[in-house]
Amino acid sequence: MNFAIQTSDLTKRYGDRVVVDRIDLAVPVGSVYGFLGPNGSGKSTTMKMLLSLVRPSSGDATVLGRPMNRQTRRDILGEVGSLIESPPGYHHLTGAENMRLIQRLLGLDTRQIEQAVRTVRLQDQLDKRVAAYSLGMKQRLGIAMALARQPRLLILDEPTNGLDPAGVEEMRDLLRRLAASGITVLVSSHQLGEIDKCATSIGILSRGRLIFQGSRDQLLAQVTPDVVIECSEVPLAAELLRQQVTARQEGHVVRVRGADSAGVADAVARLVHAGIHIFEVRREGQTLENMFLRLTEGRGL
Amino acid sequence: MTSIQAEFSKLKRSASIVIVFLLPVVSVVAGTTSTLMAEGGLEEGWHTLWVRAIGFYGMLELPVGVAILASLVWRVEHKNNWNALMNTKISTRQVVLGKIVVVGVLAAVMQVVMLAVVTALGMTLGLPGTVPVQYVWASLIVMLAGFPLAAWQSALSSWSRAFAPPVAIALTLAGLSVGALLVAGRAAIVSPYALLTHATQFGSLLSGGGRTSFPPAFLTLDGIGVVVVTSLTVTVLIWLAHSAVLDRADIRS
Ligand SMILES: Nc1ncnc2c1ncn2[C@@H]1O[C@H](COP(=O)(O)OP(=O)(O)O)[C@@H](O)[C@H]1O
Ligand SMILES: [Mg+2]
């Protein structure tokens, strides 16, 4: 497979603190790669290293087939659009003036600018000053500025951050359309639900370590969903089950983690044997959200 | 070239335009009022007017003005555009050059405004003719000598996310540089502040001995040559050093 981004042992240390810990990222060409992790897990730092805005403490990154470093970066960046942390844009200028600035700076033609603006659906808002834009509009302007150069790779750092649900949906739609046009997109988020539905590959970062990388299906297949048991004497039931499996009381039910079919049968038998009445046993539909929380809380799969 | 154009288009609706016009007006009016009130008045006409107008302007207002302009020009980048600025195919040297040129040109325009204000003031006061041509030449030298300071303050302002510290540094170093000029004379012009102040002293000589605090800089080929060469050399050195530092350092946003 061809990769738009590949890193090996990419590491960033600030003093004694390891902020990004030996990660091997592999972003397939043409994918929407969801780069997930809670706040402070090292997503932005990783992206800055991919752009050589921050120098890795060790390890290296290959971007669009070329080693990324201080000497090569300006060359490679001609084909990379990015939006890191807060969306760019000069607030005292209008959207149109910002786009003209980029056009002149990068020597683009008007068609490229118009296409980028239409892609993010900002064509009716161009005469407003950016200061008057909503956060979603600022994000979209930032993406238009990154898109105008017609990049092969787009690196977007939390573009859904702070958006309302409609804005998030619009951003997802935009990511899908970008991918359909052949651009590889690396997009980060601290909330899995915001991008997992449009991501074709997923990487999960926790405390600087890449704890999962693969497709959405592979991620789902890695975990056994929780089993929820409704019964009498819930505290006692939880107590009993804890001797055998990971279980805890959750309101009026007991939640059992990581139990396969045999494990469930065994648990039920135990409870019945102890004279506890069982009203319902069900396996939860696995949501990626739950998994993401479990993973990033460091409890493992 | 394109990054220089880009810098100029960022000036639209910018406070820097206000500074460029307001600072010389306020400075010249404030600098000459006391002279006009004093018993002698404008004893030597245009020359007295120019010397009074340029005095503090050259020592303090102009250097601090350049510092404010540099901080204004970088402020919009610090706010939310640092990453984008550094994430194009445009080289760091081009980016830095754009900033130096825009600050330097704004400072130059400020000098043009200053000259215009002095001329207007002199004519309003009924001085004969117009501003002597030597002050037009002097102003051209000032315009060039602003570039090293533009480069230096631009470097400080790119480093400081806050607006005020580079301006405070300019205030302090401009003061020290005035001292250095008094003590060391022309050798002090390795400091961009001293160079600019020195440049403002060109042609400032009153026959009556009343003059600014410095030995005046004469409009001689040698005097001009030293300022021109120093200006160009120091500007290029700061430009290259600043670009190299930006290229080596991790981004801090
Ligand atoms: N320049 C820096 N100096 C010291 N620590 C830093 C620096 N930049 C980031 N960090 C730390 O690195 C960790 C990861 O930060 P970041 O990459 O921004 O995470 P994320 O984008 O996932 O929220 C955080 O704990 C942050 O405080
Ligand atoms: Mg971040």
Side-chain angles (χ1 to χ4, degrees), chain A residues 201-214:
Chain A
S201 298
I202 289 175
I204 298 179
L205 204 58
S206 172
R207 295 183 197 122
R209 313 199 57 165
L210 193 63
I211 54 176
F212 172 84
Q213 178 166 248

Side-chain angles (χ1 to χ4, degrees), chain A residues 12 48 51 53-55 70 73-74 82 84-85 87-92 97 101 104-105 129 149, chain B residues 5-6 9-10 12-13 77 80-81 83-84 86-90 92 247-251 253:
Chain A
K12 184 67 185 181
K48 286 178 193 168
L51 294 162
L53 287 170
V54 160
R55 193 192 298 260
R70 297 290 157 131
R73 69 183 300 270
R74 295 288 186 178
S82 63
I84 302 294
E85 287 169 341
Y90 296 96
H91 290 191
H92 62 292
E97 286 162 350
L101 197 68
R104 218 179 279 163
L105 196 61
R129 284 193 214 176
R149 69 195 75 168
Chain B
Q5 286 179 350
S9 39
K10 290 177 197 171
K12 203 167 176 183
R13 299 184 205 101
E77 313 296 349
N80 63 335
N81 289 298
N83 290 318
M86 300 309 271
N87 269 346
T88 68
K89 63 179 182 184
I90 307 293
T92 308
D247 265 338
R248 293 178 66 85
D250 277 2
I251 207 148
S253 65

Side-chain angles (χ1 to χ4, degrees), chain A:
Chain A
M1 193 185 286
N2 248 333
F3 295 103
I5 299 173
Q6 248 181 322
T7 72
S8 100
D9 276 336
L10 196 64
T11 302
K12 184 67 185 181
R13 265 179 245 105
Y14 285 114
D16 289 341
R17 267 191 71 207
V18 182
V19 170
V20 175
D21 195 1
R22 290 166 291 157
I23 70 173
D24 298 327
L25 221 52
V27 178
V29 167
S31 65
V32 175
Y33 187 106
F35 193 39
L36 308 168
N39 284 327
S41 55
K43 303 180 297 294
S44 298
T45 305
T46 303
M47 287 176 150
K48 286 178 193 168
M49 286 194 283
L50 295 176
L51 294 162
S52 196
L53 287 170
V54 160
R55 193 192 298 260
S57 305
S58 59
D60 43 60
T62 305
V63 175
L64 298 176
R66 281 174 284 178
M68 179 56 122
N69 57 47
R70 297 290 157 131
Q71 283 73 48
T72 58
R73 69 183 300 270
R74 295 288 186 178
D75 253 3
I76 301 174
L77 288 178
E79 296 186 291
V80 181
S82 63
L83 190 149
I84 302 294
E85 287 169 341
S86 50
Y90 296 96
H91 290 191
H92 62 292
L93 302 179
T94 65
E97 286 162 350
N98 270 285
M99 292 308 295
R100 235 181 342 262
L101 197 68
I102 279 287
Q103 175 178 8
R104 218 179 279 163
L105 196 61
L106 302 181
L108 308 172
D109 56 48
T110 308
R111 188 191 51 80
Q112 289 171 302
I113 296 292
E114 282 171 357
Q115 190 184 336
V117 167
R118 252 183 286 114
T119 304
V120 301
R121 308 213 163 114
L122 212 55
Q123 62 271 27
D124 297 330
Q125 318 284 347
L126 281 183
D127 294 332
K128 274 192 215 164
R129 284 193 214 176
V130 176
Y133 276 17
S134 68
L135 181 58
M137 285 157 71
K138 285 178 187 154
Q139 297 277 24
R140 282 185 285 152
L141 177 68
I143 294 176
M145 288 163 75
L147 269 182
R149 69 195 75 168
Q150 297 188 311
R152 285 161 63 197
L153 170 66
L154 204 53
I155 296 182
L156 304 176
D157 190 14
E158 309 231 20
T160 48
N161 207 5
L163 299 189
D164 59 17
V168 172
E169 186 47 49
E170 210 166 324
M171 188 62 68
R172 274 196 213 114
D173 176 53
L174 173 59
L175 295 180
R176 280 191 208 102
R177 280 184 286 127
L178 291 174
S181 71
I183 301 175
T184 307
V185 185
L186 173 65
V187 52
S188 73
S189 177
H190 67 277
Q191 278 184 301
L192 172 115
E194 292 187 339
I195 50 173
D196 77 278
K197 291 185 197 77
C198 61
T200 53
S201 298
I202 289 175
I204 298 179
L205 204 58
S206 172
R207 295 183 197 122
R209 313 199 57 165
L210 193 63
I211 54 176
F212 172 84
Q213 178 166 248
S215 71
R216 195 163 174 261
D217 290 341
Q218 282 170 326
L219 181 56
L220 277 170
Q222 286 209 358
V223 279
T224 325
D226 288 358
V227 168
V228 172
I229 303 176
E230 276 181 41
C231 57
S232 61
E233 297 173 72
V234 172
L236 175 62
E239 179 76 44
L240 271 171
L241 292 180
R242 251 200 300 277
Q243 296 165 8
Q244 212 82 55
V245 289
T246 313
R248 69 191 151 91
Q249 180 176 353
E250 202 180 82
H252 300 299
V253 300
V254 182
R255 176 176 291 275
V256 180
R257 175 150 297 170
D260 56 13
S261 304
V264 175
D266 193 46
V268 171
R270 265 170 167 278
L271 294 182
V272 171
H273 190 71
I276 292 170
H277 300 295
I278 296 188
F279 310 128
E280 184 177 336
V281 177
R282 64 172 185 272
R283 197 177 282 280
E284 285 210 319
Q286 181 60 36
T287 67
L288 280 168
E289 264 93 349
N290 285 345
M291 284 194 32
F292 179 61
L293 280 177
R294 277 164 60 179
L295 278 170
T296 54
E297 279 163 12
R299 284 189 266 153
L301 282 166

Side-chain angles (χ1 to χ4, degrees), chain B residues 26-208:
Chain B
V26 171
S27 175
V28 167
V29 171
T32 51
T33 307
S34 60
T35 310
L36 294 173
M37 300 296 184
E39 70 282 16
L42 297 174
E43 246 174 28
E44 294 184 40
W46 284 105
H47 300 294
T48 309
L49 181 62
W50 179 263
V51 166
R52 295 298 165 236
I54 198 91
F56 273 112
Y57 181 71
M59 286 185 256
L60 203 69
E61 277 105 338
L62 180 55
V64 168
V66 172
I68 293 173
L69 291 172
S71 277
L72 279 174
V73 158
W74 278 101
R75 186 173 64 168
V76 292
E77 313 296 349
H78 285 302
K79 200 168 176 189
N80 63 335
N81 289 298
W82 239 141
N83 290 318
L85 189 71
M86 300 309 271
N87 269 346
T88 68
K89 63 179 182 184
I90 307 293
S91 71
T92 308
R93 277 187 191 168
Q94 285 298 311
V95 172
V96 171
L97 183 63
K99 295 294 186 194
I100 293 175
V101 171
V102 76
V103 177
V105 167
L106 285 171
V109 173
M110 206 150 75
Q111 182 60 30
V112 172
V113 173
M114 192 266 172
L115 185 65
V117 173
V118 169
T119 309
L121 191 62
M123 289 168 83
T124 312
L125 294 173
L127 294 179
T130 180
V131 72
V133 70
Q134 74 197 73
Y135 299 126
V136 177
W137 291 118
S139 290
L140 285 175
I141 298 169
V142 170
M143 289 159 78
L144 180 68
F147 278 84
L149 187 58
W152 170 247
Q153 287 295 144
S154 165
L156 292 182
S157 297
S158 79
W159 192 252
S160 167
R161 286 160 129 312
F163 187 89
V167 179
I169 291 175
L171 254 167
T172 313
L173 291 186
L176 288 176
S177 293
V178 167
L181 272 175
L182 287 171
V183 174
R186 203 167 71 176
I189 65 172
V190 289
S191 151
Y193 304 95
L195 177 67
L196 187 53
T197 302
H198 174 72
T200 61
Q201 301 306 311
F202 271 95
S204 310
L205 181 64
L206 295 179
S207 55

